[in-house]
Amino acid sequence: MPPPRAPLRPLIPRRLLSASPSARPTPSTPSSASPRRRLSLTATISLASLTLLSGYALGALSPPPIVQLINPSPAPPPPPPGSPEAHAATQRIEEELMSLPIVKEYRKKEREGGWYESRPYSGLSEERTVNNLTAGALRGAGRLAVPPVVFAKEDESEAVIVLHAGRGLCGHDGIVHGGLLATLFDESLARTAILNLPSQIGVTAKLSINYRAPTKADQFLVIRTHLVSLSGRKATAKASISTLSGALLADAEALFVEPKYAKLLASSGVREALGGRKTGVGRKVEKVEEDLREGERM
């Protein structure tokens, strides 16, 4: 005999069976906190806008260094060569150069002994400077306005060079061209290395440069060089370029070699062009000129 069947139940979803009229969803009503949220959002947007406008205004008045590097303010072109404006600009830079604390410091060392001062290329005739890169093509207001001042040890083991780099020597506007810095390194290192070679004649065999920071134009630069090694016809020297405050901009090392035909160039005036120490009558005349300059400053 088959077992009795359980009574059939209606197939009604459980959630409907358990639902009560009071549990049914009712249309949502606006919360009393909504106006507060709207006021908070409006205040946030207003504050953000005010912050952005204030930052823009402050940035326009005093832009941060990175903005000045990326988007420098335009500068007027240098005055025409030979014009009264060019002469005045050159004279102003010369006066500023002579009044720099570092120049006064090394002039004091010179008087104490062991150092001497010179101005490379300043004594060359126009016919010799007209086709010279640093003494001719790059010389003038807005470029290398005046000859550098060199303070060197009497044994030529090291030197300190102070010069002014103008706005017309840039690659990126406002930043001195890296190739110009390479030229300054080459000539400064050559001076220290070549004056230590047997014949004081040499050529650049290798030049290695590390660019540490952008070099802003229209400022005085300090180049320090020192002899690293000397072996027969080879001399190695190192140098650095920095600001007047001492911030390192670049450093370099170079190898110079005395060519086998050096004797043929002995009368080329390389020593005079580099501003090497004068001897004999020339040194006596230079000493008189130094004493006269010192008397004028006093």
Side-chain angles (χ1 to χ4, degrees), residues 103 115 119-120 128 183 202 238 251 257 279-280:
V103 172
W115 292 77
R119 303 293 296 270
R128 293 195 58 190
T183 300
K238 288 185 177 182
D251 54 72
V257 178
T279 59

Side-chain angles (χ1 to χ4, degrees), residues 111-264:
R111 292 193 297 270
E112 294 171 351
W115 292 77
Y116 71 94
E117 177 184 345
S118 69
R119 303 293 296 270
Y121 302 111
S122 60
L124 296 182
S125 62
E126 184 177 354
E127 63 180 8
R128 293 195 58 190
T129 60
V130 65
N131 292 319
N132 185 282
L133 179 61
T134 52
L138 295 178
R139 180 76 66 218
R143 299 185 291 276
L144 299 176
V146 297
V149 175
V150 176
F151 296 97
K153 278 193 171 182
E154 293 182 352
D155 62 0
E156 303 295 357
S157 61
E158 63 180 280
V160 176
I161 303 166
V162 186
L163 57 87
H164 185 272
R167 194 67 180 259
L169 301 173
C170 297
H172 181 71
D173 191 17
I175 305 299
V176 176
H177 196 291
L180 189 278
L181 295 181
T183 300
L184 297 179
F185 268 133
D186 186 41
E187 296 211 351
S188 302
L189 287 162
R191 186 191 181 284
T192 296
I194 290 176
L195 292 180
N196 281 279
L197 291 174
S199 66
Q200 297 186 342
I201 300 292
V203 294
T204 309
K206 182 180 180 180
L207 175 61
S208 176
I209 302 175
N210 298 307
Y211 294 96
R212 305 295 185 180
T215 301
K216 293 183 180 180
D218 198 20
Q219 68 168 323
F220 289 98
L221 301 174
V222 180
I223 306 176
R224 301 178 186 273
T225 68
H226 67 275
L227 185 69
V228 175
S229 64
L230 180 63
S231 177
R233 297 187 300 110
K234 297 181 179 180
T236 302
K238 288 185 177 182
S240 66
I241 295 180
S242 61
T243 63
L244 288 175
S245 62
L248 180 64
L249 302 172
D251 54 72
E253 181 174 357
L255 170 65
F256 294 86
V257 178
E258 179 184 275
K260 295 180 179 180
Y261 53 84
K263 292 182 179 180
L264 300 177

